[in-house]
Amino acid sequence: MVAGGEPIPKQRQVMILFLFLGVAWGDQGPHRYSVMEETEKGTFVADLAQDLGLAVRELAAREARVVSEDNEPRLQLDVQTGQLIVNGQLDREELCGPTEQCVLSFQVVLNKPVEVFPVELLLEDVNDHSPEFPEPEMTLKIRETSLPGTMFPLKRAEDMDVGRNGVQNYSISPNSPFHVSTRPRGDGRAYPELVLDRELDREEQAELLLTLTARDGGSPPRSGTAHIRVLVLDVNDNAPEFTQTLYEVQVPEDSPEGSIVVQVTARDLDAGTYGEISYALIYSSQEIRKTFELNSLSGKVRLIRKLDFETVSSYEFDIEASDGGGLSGKCSVSIKVLDVNDNPPEITISSLTSSVPENSPEIEVALFRIRDRDSGENGRMIFSIQNDVPFKLKPTLDNFITLVTEGPLDREARAQYTITITVSDLGTPRLQSQHNVTVHVSDVNDNAPTFSQALYTLFVLENNSPALHIGSVSASDRDAGTNAQLTYSLLTQDQATQQPQGQQQGQGQGQGQGQARPQVDVGALVALDAASGQLFALRALDYETLRAFEFGVRASDGGSPALSGEARVRVVLRDANDHAPRVLYPPRNGSAAGACPELVPRGAEAGYVVSKVVAVDGDSGRNAWLSYELLQATEPGLFGVWAHSGEVRTARPVSERDAPQQRLLVQVRDHGEPPLSASVALHVLLVDGFSQPYLPRPDAPAGQAGQAGVGGVGGVGGEAGQAEALTVSLVVALAAVSSLFLASVLALVAARLCGRGGAGAGAVAVGSGCGVSVAEGRFFPAGAGCGGVGPLVDVGGAGTLSQSYQYEVCVSGGSGTGEFKFMKPIIPDLPPPFSGKELEENPDFRNSFPFS
């Protein structure tokens, strides 16, 4: 469709035709009542509830109200009694003017469901106005040759009342040569005419003054008077004659003021004064005189104020043409006002619901009435709303429209709607009116709280202070108001699960999955602030006892019923360096002088393995990375400690000048912040006549002895190759001393280790033949001869040890030579070799050296 030359967007339109001349009510006609005008306020009109067949309580429940065409509250419906009463004095003349029957139309509107009952009120006239003539004095010029029975029109008296209370008869003063008769016109009014009863004689009486009286039919009757001055004229035998007895014109209601509506023309055959014609309005009401102006010389009828088709649709009046001799003629003018589309449609809201709950089915939001005061196509209307809102319009009775929802609304999708109701007529150009209705969608608790994460991971450093804030959880709710007020709580029925030490969280396929994990009480570990979602540690946490634990949290809203959401929180403890390294071997209480010393032959080359310091650290990660360092030595430069494995090796060949007893002080230090350390003393005894074992590198050429690699000890290193020639006496003496010394050492070590109850994680074998199994708490005796295989002593990788070794010890007393065989490590994991440059740049390698 096109309005004003511009395209109108497609809309859902519902067309309905409203005719102002009458509205069909089907089989049911309007209820009619009557009341006298000027009735006092509160006067009873009718028992409307009884007439409509409704219970009185139903009127209040269905919000009954009276709606009039112009929205003036002239009548009032008492919903408590069902009576229709007058809401103020009603002036029939003001409301209906000269209309014979003054009928006021209004509607009784009920909601739930919507029903409209038409009602008409007949306002009966009261004789409260007297007849009035438009002029207090009228002048008539009558020829003296006028014959008896000649009639002369007079100006009629106007009475605001109607019917019997209007003007009923006219009378003239007695003893005059005239009498008054009335003649009805097409508009139903009676117009007076002065009738000549006998001839006039100008020479006898040139002027007569008469009194004209108009009376109405009221009780008591009222009257009004006017004076008639009759001038007797000389003989004039030609009266003016109009070219048309009836002038019919059509004038658009939007004609501008000052425009010429019609021009009448009359002719007079007389000459001179008797031929001069003047025009005047006769039989015209005050409304006509306020709307039109007649030029007395030209006969042009000019518009002096705006026309309104909706107020007056037609005008009728008479024009008299008089000549200078007193003769006159008359014609009638009928003006029909043409309707112009000058009234936009009117929208009147009768009821409005500004708030609609979400998730509700079809709900009535507003009830409104539309009207266009124009007629024909100009009064036909179409109405619509925009397409992007879930609402629709439903027509009801007598141009009432209902705005309803199309279905359930979702406040979270849209909390407010502004619906623009557009009503357009079909005139040219089209006129339209718009009315905006704002509808708020009230919230219903239909959304559960949701956490920002399904799993929260919090990292906490161990040894924390109580009541430490360790993190927060946050949830949101798409609802509003109380329905969005969240309260956080711990899932106390859900016990947190402790992660086993040494096993990372999430290893579902490893060894720890099939094991039952210990349970901890989450309520004793953490507290959750119900309002903010902040988490606090209730006590100090220990990484070595509890590496990680997991629990659930819940967020509940304040709706009814309350909805909730859940999430998981995983707390991972971070290790603090709170454990110093602990030396397992050599034992601190067994490191005194003479207690199981390490035996080193005088002929040992550089790289000879003297012993291995075994230590563990209760911490993890960097805090458990251990490094070894030689702090003190009896012979500086003779021995060195491998910084990462703790192996003690000779740094150079042992010479005869070296002291037979050596004391080494080895420090074990972790890499925490600050670093912690422990130290242990290692006693070494340099002996003569002991075999000289060596550990060749796996990739070294055959025959290269005395060089040991850090890549691991592989297989049996081969025989020492050379045997010393000893005398029988020296061999017997050495064997006796060695046996006695070995028995004493083994007895002392066994007593110490049995008292510790398995404090080690592996077994250690010393080069002097002191084989000790710490885990099992028993001694392994040395082999009886070189021909047999000695017991294997296992040194397991416990704590921070990186390798496990098996040593075979064989001490020969008969041949004067001894063997010390090193087997292949169980899990080789030695660090890569270091260059000399790295040793210079790394201070941790002070007093230590790598082997290549």
Side-chain angles (χ1 to χ4, degrees), residues 347-360:
I347 303 175
T348 303
I349 300 296
S350 299
S351 64
L352 175 64
T353 303
S354 60
S355 180
V356 176
E358 65 174 332
N359 302 332
S360 298

Side-chain angles (χ1 to χ4, degrees), residues 35 140 170 205 268 332 363 445 500 524 585 776 781 803 805:
V35 67
L140 294 178
Y170 296 87
Q205 189 176 5
D268 195 321
S332 298
I363 295 179
N445 191 26
Y585 184 85
E776 298 180 5
Q803 298 181 12
Y805 292 90

Side-chain angles (χ1 to χ4, degrees), residues 337-513:
V337 181
L338 299 179
D339 183 37
V340 174
N341 192 24
D342 58 344
N343 291 282
E346 299 174 1
I347 303 175
T348 303
I349 300 296
S350 299
S351 64
L352 175 64
T353 303
S354 60
S355 180
V356 176
E358 65 174 332
N359 302 332
S360 298
E362 182 177 299
I363 295 179
E364 177 184 321
V365 177
L367 175 66
F368 61 93
R369 181 168 54 90
I370 60 176
R371 182 179 68 167
D372 196 315
R373 297 180 182 273
D374 296 320
S375 62
E377 288 295 314
N378 298 331
R380 296 177 60 190
M381 293 171 288
I382 56 175
F383 51 86
S384 62
I385 59 175
Q386 65 266 38
N387 289 327
D388 58 347
V389 292
F391 296 85
K392 61 182 179 181
L393 297 176
K394 296 176 62 177
T396 59
L397 298 176
D398 191 23
N399 63 3
F400 277 90
I401 311 298
T402 304
L403 175 65
V404 297
T405 59
E406 285 187 330
L409 303 179
D410 186 6
R411 190 205 66 84
E412 288 71 36
R414 190 169 178 180
Q416 175 179 313
Y417 294 89
T418 300
I419 301 99
T420 301
I421 302 172
T422 303
V423 181
S424 304
D425 60 26
L426 299 181
T428 303
R430 290 194 173 188
L431 301 179
Q432 71 175 17
S433 297
Q434 292 183 338
H435 187 86
N436 292 329
V437 176
T438 300
V439 178
H440 300 274
V441 183
S442 58
D443 186 48
V444 174
N445 191 26
D446 57 347
N447 289 277
T450 56
F451 283 88
S452 58
Q453 300 174 221
L455 175 64
Y456 292 84
T457 303
L458 307 178
F459 295 92
V460 181
L461 185 65
E462 67 170 331
N463 302 325
N464 58 281
S465 60
L468 175 69
H469 177 231
I470 62 175
S472 302
V473 295
S474 176
S476 61
D477 197 312
R478 296 180 62 194
D479 294 322
T482 306
N483 297 330
Q485 295 178 358
L486 301 183
T487 302
Y488 299 91
S489 61
L490 291 173
L491 296 179
T492 55
Q493 71 277 10
D494 182 18
Q495 295 296 324
T497 301
Q498 174 185 357
Q499 179 180 350
Q501 298 190 17
Q503 178 181 346
Q504 295 296 329
Q505 182 75 14
Q507 293 178 346
Q509 303 298 328
Q511 181 181 358
Q513 182 180 7

Side-chain angles (χ1 to χ4, degrees), residues 59-81:
L59 296 179
R62 298 182 63 183
E63 301 174 1
R65 57 195 177 277
V66 176
V67 180
S68 61
E69 291 289 334
D70 53 1
N71 294 325
E72 289 293 332
R74 299 186 180 93
L75 297 177
Q76 181 180 357
L77 177 60
D78 188 352
V79 296
Q80 302 299 327
T81 62

Side-chain angles (χ1 to χ4, degrees), residues 26 84 93 129 290 295 388 398 613 617 668 726 744 788 823:
L84 183 66
E93 288 75 20
H129 294 85
K290 290 181 178 179
N295 189 311
D388 58 347
D398 191 23
V613 178
D617 195 311
V668 183
L726 299 176
S744 302
M823 306 302 291

